[in-house]
Amino acid sequence: MENKNFKKPPVVVVMGHVDAGKTSILDYIRRTKVAEKEAGGITQHIGAYQIDYKGNKITFLDTPGHEAFNAMRSRGAKVADIAVLVVGADEGVKPQTKEAIEIIKKEGLPMIVAINKIDKPGADIEKVKSDLAQHGVLLEGYGGDVSFAATSAKTGHGIDELLELIILAYELSPVNVSLEGELEGVIIEATKDSKKGNVATVLIRNGVLRIGDIIGTKSAYAKVKMMEDFTGMKVKEVLPGMPVLIFGFKNLPVVGDKVKRFNSQQEAESYIKKKERKEKEINVLPNHEGKKVINIVLKADVEGSLDALEYVLKGIKDEEVLLRIIKKGVGEATDKDAKIADAGNAIIFAFRTKISKPALNLIDAKKIKVYTADVIYDFVEVARKMIDDIKKPKEQRIDLGKLKVLVVFMTKKQRQIIGCRVLDGEVRKGVRLEILRDGEVIGEGKLISLEKNKQDIGQAKKGDEVGILYEGNVKIEVGDEINVYYIEK
């Protein structure tokens, strides 16, 4: 390697509302801007890919969403150089758009806006510009200097313009790195492969990664025996700005963790143990007395998804209810997960992953609640509904007795005075009444007053003949039976 200094290709993170089309834009770029012979080799999602546009390489982060990016950022990992904010021309600024804007500003990233879906009916570019201005994003020609492109991921309109803007923005503040300096990288994705073991996607930010290097994070290390680029091609060395798949990690590394190079395996192991001790000292579980707790067993397809899910679930705050993840992991939900869920009275959340047959058998037998989804925000909605449900007072029906209708004295609108015999149990003032005819429930009502021998009474027992003032939605007839009950909260 002759040049010590190297102009690293820009790393771009694409953010925006879940329906704004950020995934569609990434898919279109990958489909049209990666050489055919390379695109044909893309068989797996590794969390990032690289294109060559007019002689300029650009790396795109392809994460589950800005939640994962924010989780990386929260660990202090410098990941992206430029942010593309995707806003739907048909819907404008949505809640997740606002979150993305805040993240981009906190990170201090140069921002480019893609006003997407301009081909859709109801698309209104001027309204989007106005909406963005209200949230502090002033576009060029609208009082500011933020570049934008009007795009359609469906037709490809504006995609080349977007790529030109990315290159132009990066040329204004390029990142020059050292190829001979200390190795710096970030874990972008991590998963367990049934044949290849623990596999991680690493994005190199400084230095050169080579076969034979010993690398590690605060949670895992690997001797690099094999590396693949995003097309599945084997590579021997990786330059800054390039994502690469690395095999051979002893444990599954955590997305967002920084990667460094070690001189020996012993040095890597010592570094991990030192970090583990430090983390154990810090991570003392707080006491949550007085709060209701919803326990969750969390499973996801890859580490990036798991990280993003944990981040958004922990971000759901409530004064009365705590969401607590008692176990998390990558891969299918197993019978071990189901046993933990059963013992901890927990709900299983499975994101883009399967549930094993032994686990399904246990889930059915133990009646464990399970939620599956392919979109992170579906789980957010489920979690919020669970919180609302647990805060509602529980209602239970308590059956008291049964009446037989002997005579109807008066009928007026929705009220009737009837004579009954208590067949079983007892009857009290203020109870609810369920009317049965020929064994079928035909309506409901309530008992307004209760008399025996023309005297008001508080309750009557089996065998008593009583008069009641009934109010309800059906007309009672002689021969009907009435179930007497109340609702306990």
Side-chain angles (χ1 to χ4, degrees):
M1 203 68 62
E2 294 179 7
N3 297 325
K4 290 185 180 182
N5 291 320
F6 175 76
K7 183 182 173 183
K8 184 180 70 65
V11 177
V12 180
V13 62
V14 181
M15 298 187 188
H17 184 69
V18 67
D19 294 324
K22 58 183 185 289
T23 302
S24 301
I25 286 178
L26 284 166
D27 287 345
Y28 184 89
I29 293 171
R30 180 168 46 215
R31 194 169 65 247
T32 59
K33 303 303 177 186
V34 175
E36 277 189 33
K37 61 185 175 74
E38 294 178 342
I42 302 175
T43 56
Q44 57 189 334
H45 172 91
I46 74 164
Y49 64 90
Q50 195 171 68
I51 68 165
D52 196 320
Y53 182 72
K54 295 183 178 179
N56 298 280
K57 282 184 166 47
I58 305 173
T59 299
F60 286 93
L61 290 180
D62 190 6
T63 66
H66 65 253
E67 307 86 7
F69 177 76
N70 203 23
M72 295 176 199
R73 190 186 68 82
S74 69
R75 290 197 177 93
K78 173 71 177 172
V79 186
D81 303 302
I82 293 172
V84 171
L85 177 70
V86 181
V87 188
D90 56 336
E91 291 188 322
V93 173
K94 305 287 281 183
Q96 286 170 254
T97 321
K98 297 173 192 175
E99 292 173 22
I101 291 169
E102 289 174 12
I103 292 166
I104 293 166
K105 286 183 175 179
K106 281 180 185 175
E107 185 71 356
L109 292 173
M111 184 194 305
I112 297 165
V113 173
I115 302 177
N116 195 36
K117 298 188 179 181
I118 59 167
D119 55 292
K120 291 198 74 173
D124 189 342
I125 294 174
E126 292 306 310
K127 183 180 181 302
V128 173
K129 291 179 180 178
S130 175
D131 286 353
L132 287 169
Q134 290 177 30
H135 292 90
V137 180
L138 300 174
L139 302 184
E140 289 176 346
Y142 215 86
D145 58 1
V146 177
S147 301
F148 74 95
T151 63
S152 166
K154 189 175 180 181
T155 66
H157 179 91
I159 298 297
D160 280 356
E161 184 186 351
L162 178 64
L163 297 175
E164 296 278 3
L165 290 173
I166 289 170
I167 292 165
L168 182 61
Y170 193 60
E171 283 178 351
L172 295 173
S173 55
V175 177
N176 291 308
V177 297
S178 169
L179 296 180
E180 293 184 359
E182 189 176 338
L183 184 76
E184 293 176 20
V186 181
I187 300 291
I188 297 298
E189 196 54 275
T191 188
K192 287 182 180 178
D193 187 291
S194 57
K195 295 178 182 176
K196 298 176 181 176
N198 296 318
V199 185
T201 304
V202 175
L203 180 67
I204 300 303
R205 292 201 58 85
N206 193 70
V208 179
L209 176 63
R210 298 180 177 88
I211 294 289
D213 284 349
I214 296 169
I215 61 169
T217 68
K218 63 184 180 184
S219 59
Y221 73 91
K223 182 170 184 179
V224 182
K225 294 180 180 178
M226 185 171 75
M227 299 188 290
E228 291 180 2
D229 66 12
F230 68 96
T231 69
M233 293 288 292
K234 289 183 173 57
V235 292
K236 292 184 177 179
E237 65 176 24
V238 185
L239 301 178
M242 179 179 171
V244 66
L245 208 59
I246 296 177
F247 304 88
F249 275 93
K250 300 300 179 185
N251 301 310
L252 200 64
V254 177
V255 169
D257 275 359
K258 296 176 185 177
V259 177
K260 57 186 294 184
R261 182 162 36 213
F262 298 94
N263 294 319
S264 66
Q265 182 177 314
Q266 289 78 12
E267 188 182 337
E269 287 175 344
S270 175
Y271 176 78
I272 290 169
K273 285 176 183 175
K274 183 180 176 183
K275 289 291 181 181
E276 280 179 348
R277 280 197 301 273
K278 191 175 179 183
E279 296 233 334
K280 281 177 184 175
E281 289 166 8
I282 295 170
N283 292 337
V284 179
L285 282 174
N287 190 357
H288 297 288
E289 286 182 14
K291 275 198 173 190
K292 295 175 181 176
V293 176
I294 298 173
N295 288 331
I296 294 172
V297 172
L298 194 58
K299 298 303 293 267
D301 56 343
V302 293
E303 189 75 25
S305 303
L306 186 71
D307 213 50
L309 274 166
E310 184 179 13
Y311 180 82
V312 294
L313 289 174
K314 284 184 175 179
I316 300 172
K317 305 293 184 187
D318 189 89
E319 290 182 1
E320 298 176 40
V321 184
L322 171 75
L323 289 177
R324 181 168 60 193
I325 298 167
I326 62 171
K327 184 182 186 293
K328 62 178 181 175
V330 170
E332 69 176 8
T334 64
D335 54 339
K336 185 178 179 183
D337 297 316
K339 286 173 184 173
I340 289 170
D342 180 46
N345 192 25
I347 295 107
I348 297 174
F349 277 16
F351 181 76
R352 292 181 187 169
T353 191
K354 296 177 181 177
I355 298 168
S356 71
K357 194 170 181 180
L360 283 172
N361 293 336
L362 194 58
I363 286 163
D364 288 340
K366 299 290 187 179
K367 293 182 169 45
I368 300 164
K369 285 186 180 178
V370 179
Y371 293 98
T372 59
D374 292 327
V375 178
I376 285 176
Y377 278 84
D378 286 349
F379 278 144
V380 174
E381 293 306 310
V382 168
R384 285 180 176 150
K385 187 178 184 304
M386 282 164 39
I387 288 171
D388 289 341
D389 287 346
I390 203 172
K391 287 163 76 172
K392 289 176 184 174
K394 294 286 186 291
E395 293 186 345
Q396 183 180 3
R397 171 172 162 160
I398 308 295
D399 288 303
L400 286 173
K402 183 171 282 191
L403 302 169
K404 180 80 172 182
V405 179
L406 304 177
V407 61
V408 177
F409 292 113
M410 183 206 81
T411 299
K412 190 175 181 181
K413 292 186 178 179
Q414 287 189 312
R415 289 193 170 194
Q416 289 179 286
I417 297 174
I418 56 176
C420 305
R421 179 184 293 117
V422 183
L423 295 179
D424 196 22
E426 63 179 54
V427 58
R428 303 177 195 161
K429 273 186 178 180
V431 293
R432 297 189 184 189
L433 305 176
E434 184 177 64
I435 319 304
L436 293 90
R437 187 170 298 156
D438 299 324
E440 298 288 330
V441 176
I442 61 167
E444 292 197 349
K446 57 185 178 181
L447 190 150
I448 305 298
S449 64
L450 180 66
E451 290 185 357
K452 182 179 178 183
N453 298 326
K454 296 185 179 180
Q455 298 289 320
D456 279 344
I457 56 173
Q459 67 179 57
K461 296 183 178 179
K462 183 178 178 180
D464 288 344
E465 290 190 3
V466 295
I468 65 173
L469 175 57
Y470 151 85
E471 183 178 88
N473 57 9
V474 296
K475 295 291 186 287
I476 293 175
E477 297 177 2
V478 173
D480 288 348
E481 291 189 345
I482 301 173
N483 288 330
V484 181
Y485 70 97
Y486 68 95
I487 300 296
E488 184 176 75
K489 290 188 177 181

